[in-house]
Every structure is written in structure tokens, then in C-alpha cells.
Amino acid sequence: MTTRQHLLALIGLPGSGKTTVGRMLARRLQLPFLDSDQEIERRMGCSIRQFFEEQGEARFRDIEAEVIDALTRSGPGVLSTGGGAVLRPENRARLHERCRVIYLHARPEDLARRLRRDTQRPLLQVDDPLKRLRELHAARDPLYRETAHDVLETGRPSVAMLVNMILMQLELAPQPAAGGTGPALGR
């Protein structure tokens, strides 16, 4: 089974580059690009921020779980997930079992710099976004690592360099047996 037959899923904190890297990776692999947050917004008919304000996080996570279930059954492609997709055990299991999962790990300080002008991420609309990112990192990093097959330190490389690093990891990875996933790399 080759990389082109897999669904690759990118996970990580808000601002780690999942969507940007995912789009370029999908283009390079000539695979469809899927974005769980965009699919959620399409289903809800409004922005995630608006839905959070009106319905709350718990209801959002219910819809997110339905979308993750559907998208992880969609066949070959590159999937960008929302930063909190790993919070539910069923999402972690579905992603790990059905996808080749790459955790784009970024330090909270780097994320705060990247997101300093972002007003669309509901969990970061607080007085101290860096403190909030540190809290999210502390809570979610173990969940991302549990879910991932590969961990990629994003640091300061360009998007193109990150995509090349992922492609190299995929090339070097032993090919998994049908229906399974290969061993972890880069952990």
C-alpha cells in the first residue's frame, strides 16, 4: 500500500500549519484536500466562532466527531483537523486506525507570534493568548502524541520545507500492511 492509497491526517494546535501545509502536501501528492473545520462550518451554516458563542463547545465537539468519522472513511487524501479534534477518544481512535497521522508540533511561543492578529479562533479570544496556548499545549500534547504515527517539529521552516520533510518521512516509512499503519517515525 503506497502513500497515495492512504488518508493522511494532520493534527496539532491552532496555528501549527495544518491547513496551509495540508493544502500544499495534497497538491504535491495529487490527492484531494479535506478540512474538517470547513466541513463543520458547511454543515452548521455558520462560522465555528459563531457556533461556539451560540451553542457552546460541547455541541460543537459532537458535530466535530460526526465529521471526523465521515472524513476518515473518505479514502485517499490529506485531512486537516481542528486543533481540538483529539479531545474525544473516538476521534483519536478513528484518526489513528484509519489514517497516517502527522502531528505538527509547535511551541506555544511560536504559535502566539503566528496568531497575534487572528480573531477567528474562539479558544484564543482571551486577554493572554500565550498563556492559553501554553494551557492548550499542556493538555493536548499527550493526546496528539498518542494519536500520531509521526511527529514533525515545525519550528521556523517554511511551508515548502515542512512539506518536503513530510514527504521524506513518508518515503522512508516502511509500508504498512493492508488495513494497518506503519511504525512511528520522528518521535
Side-chain angles (χ1 to χ4, degrees), residues 25-65:
L25 182 60
R27 274 195 305 272
R28 292 275 304 272
L29 291 170
Q30 298 180 330
L31 292 171
F33 174 72
L34 309 164
D35 185 308
S36 65
D37 282 349
Q38 286 180 355
E39 178 61 18
I40 291 166
E41 287 183 340
R42 189 189 65 74
R43 285 190 185 192
M44 294 183 312
C46 65
S47 72
I48 290 173
R49 181 177 181 176
Q50 181 182 349
F51 192 85
F52 252 71
E53 291 169 0
E54 295 172 4
Q55 303 285 327
E57 184 175 356
R59 180 67 187 120
F60 169 79
R61 297 295 174 202
D62 291 340
I63 294 170
E64 181 179 55

Side-chain angles (χ1 to χ4, degrees):
M1 191 177 279
T2 66
T3 299
R4 294 182 55 77
Q5 295 170 312
H6 285 283
L7 180 61
L8 303 172
L10 302 178
I11 61 174
L13 285 172
S16 61
K18 300 177 300 287
T19 299
T20 305
V21 169
R23 284 186 201 283
M24 185 179 282
L25 182 60
R27 274 195 305 272
R28 292 275 304 272
L29 291 170
Q30 298 180 330
L31 292 171
F33 174 72
L34 309 164
D35 185 308
S36 65
D37 282 349
Q38 286 180 355
E39 178 61 18
I40 291 166
E41 287 183 340
R42 189 189 65 74
R43 285 190 185 192
M44 294 183 312
C46 65
S47 72
I48 290 173
R49 181 177 181 176
Q50 181 182 349
F51 192 85
F52 252 71
E53 291 169 0
E54 295 172 4
Q55 303 285 327
E57 184 175 356
R59 180 67 187 120
F60 169 79
R61 297 295 174 202
D62 291 340
I63 294 170
E64 181 179 55
E66 294 169 11
V67 168
I68 294 290
D69 184 36
L71 291 177
T72 57
R73 295 176 188 273
S74 65
V78 176
L79 169 62
S80 170
T81 64
V86 297
L87 294 174
R88 293 234 173 136
E90 65 266 30
N91 290 346
R92 293 194 303 274
R94 289 171 179 149
L95 286 163
H96 188 82
E97 292 165 8
R98 299 175 185 168
C99 306
R100 177 80 187 202
V101 182
I102 301 164
Y103 170 23
L104 298 181
H105 178 263
R107 296 174 338 130
E109 295 76 13
D110 293 334
L111 296 172
R113 188 181 71 260
R114 288 180 204 163
L115 298 172
R116 66 185 173 272
R117 292 184 185 89
D118 191 308
T119 61
Q120 297 307 306
R121 298 170 199 262
L123 294 178
L124 298 180
Q125 304 313 304
V126 294
D127 291 333
D128 188 348
L130 176 57
K131 179 182 177 194
R132 181 67 178 134
L133 284 163
R134 286 179 174 148
E135 293 166 354
L136 290 171
H137 183 271
R140 295 179 181 179
D141 184 66
L143 302 176
Y144 292 135
R145 291 179 187 275
E146 171 190 326
T147 308
H149 297 98
D150 305 298
V151 178
L152 184 63
E153 297 295 331
T154 62
R156 293 184 180 257
S158 68
V159 172
M161 188 178 294
L162 288 171
V163 169
N164 286 337
M165 291 166 67
I166 292 169
L167 291 171
M168 282 192 321
Q169 278 193 334
L170 294 172
E171 284 294 318
L172 295 173
Q175 293 301 311
T181 56
L185 297 174
R187 284 191 188 202

